[in-house]
Amino acid sequence: MILADTDILARLAEGDLVIDPLDDVDTQVQPASVDLRLGSEFLEFRRTNIPCIHPNDAREVDEYVEETHVPEGDDFILHPGDFVLGTTKETVAIPDDIVAHVEGRSSLGRLAVVVHATAGLCDPGYEGQITLELSNLGNAPVALSPGMRVSQLTFTELKSPADRPYGAERGSKYQGQTGPQASRIGDDPEFAPGSDGAATTDADDGAGS
């Protein structure tokens, strides 16, 4: 069951679903979603001459990105073809019986800006800010202003609470994250020394996770 506005407000009032700060309830709470605003930190991907990036080499990943801070009142210019990591201004906490989905706002979609490449899921139990995968698919640069509503969360109630929610028990990599976080795929068990490549049970590749 997807939560409607009355359900979202009720869960927020109960305190198990958290969106903080939620400064303008009337504007941000939509009929079946909550609008989230753009934060001030961005991770930009440098032009590089290395043959490739090895996901299991944290040094290579770190050298590939650089952090940019844009204060509210200024703009971050997202050029055609660019891919950057941004973050929500809000911190969320998702209860164990809800899964949240990150969606783009249609007004930005009509400017050819998308907010996630593939990581559109916030697992039950996730807490932290949400990393956004921002791309400009159009032909003109687009100015993104910290504080603007840039994405929205929808919430689906599970048939039963997750038995092993996202968090420390699972060794989840991005729990409690603040600001945009680069890939930590190198921490996956299949990249551990001596691993036989067996699949991990920690499904933690969502938007916040």
Side-chain angles (χ1 to χ4, degrees):
M1 178 182 71
I2 297 175
L3 301 190
D5 49 5
T6 52
D7 306 311
I8 294 169
L9 291 170
R11 296 299 292 260
L12 289 170
E14 291 170 10
D16 58 348
L17 173 64
V18 176
I19 302 173
D20 182 56
L22 188 59
D23 293 331
D24 190 342
V25 174
D26 289 342
T27 298
Q28 291 183 253
V29 177
Q30 300 293 321
S33 64
V34 177
D35 286 345
L36 300 183
R37 295 164 295 175
L38 184 64
S40 299
E41 297 84 26
F42 300 86
L43 287 182
E44 298 186 72
F45 290 79
R46 298 187 183 101
R47 305 295 180 186
T48 177
N49 292 321
I50 64 175
C52 65
I53 293 174
H54 297 88
N56 60 334
D57 189 330
R59 180 184 57 81
E60 288 185 3
V61 173
D62 289 342
E63 289 180 354
Y64 184 45
V65 297
E66 60 182 351
E67 185 171 345
T68 299
H69 178 83
V70 179
E72 289 197 25
D74 290 344
D75 294 327
F76 180 88
I77 307 302
L78 189 65
H79 293 275
D82 275 0
F83 176 81
V84 303
L85 298 180
T87 184
T88 59
K89 182 175 181 178
E90 293 81 8
T91 296
V92 305
I94 309 300
D96 295 351
D97 64 335
I98 285 179
V99 61
H101 296 270
V102 180
E103 309 289 351
R105 295 188 64 224
S106 63
S107 295
L108 277 177
R110 296 172 200 218
L111 296 175
V113 174
V114 297
V115 302
H116 72 78
T118 183
L121 185 73
C122 283
D123 284 305
Y126 173 73
E127 297 180 8
Q129 292 179 316
I130 297 172
T131 293
L132 303 172
E133 303 158 344
L134 300 165
S135 295
N136 182 348
L137 305 181
N139 297 318
V142 178
L144 301 178
S145 304
M148 70 183 291
R149 289 179 294 138
V150 70
S151 65
Q152 55 187 334
L153 279 186
T154 62
F155 305 93
T156 302
E157 194 170 61
L158 304 179
K159 185 176 180 180
S160 57
D163 183 53
R164 293 182 62 227
Y166 194 92
E169 181 183 340
R170 300 188 66 94
S172 302
K173 300 190 293 288
Y174 304 107
Q175 185 75 322
Q177 71 180 6
T178 58
Q181 299 296 314
S183 175
R184 297 177 185 167
I185 194 172
D187 294 338
D188 285 357
E190 58 264 39
F191 290 118
S195 170
D196 61 1
T200 175
T201 58
D202 183 14
D204 65 349
D205 287 327
S209 51

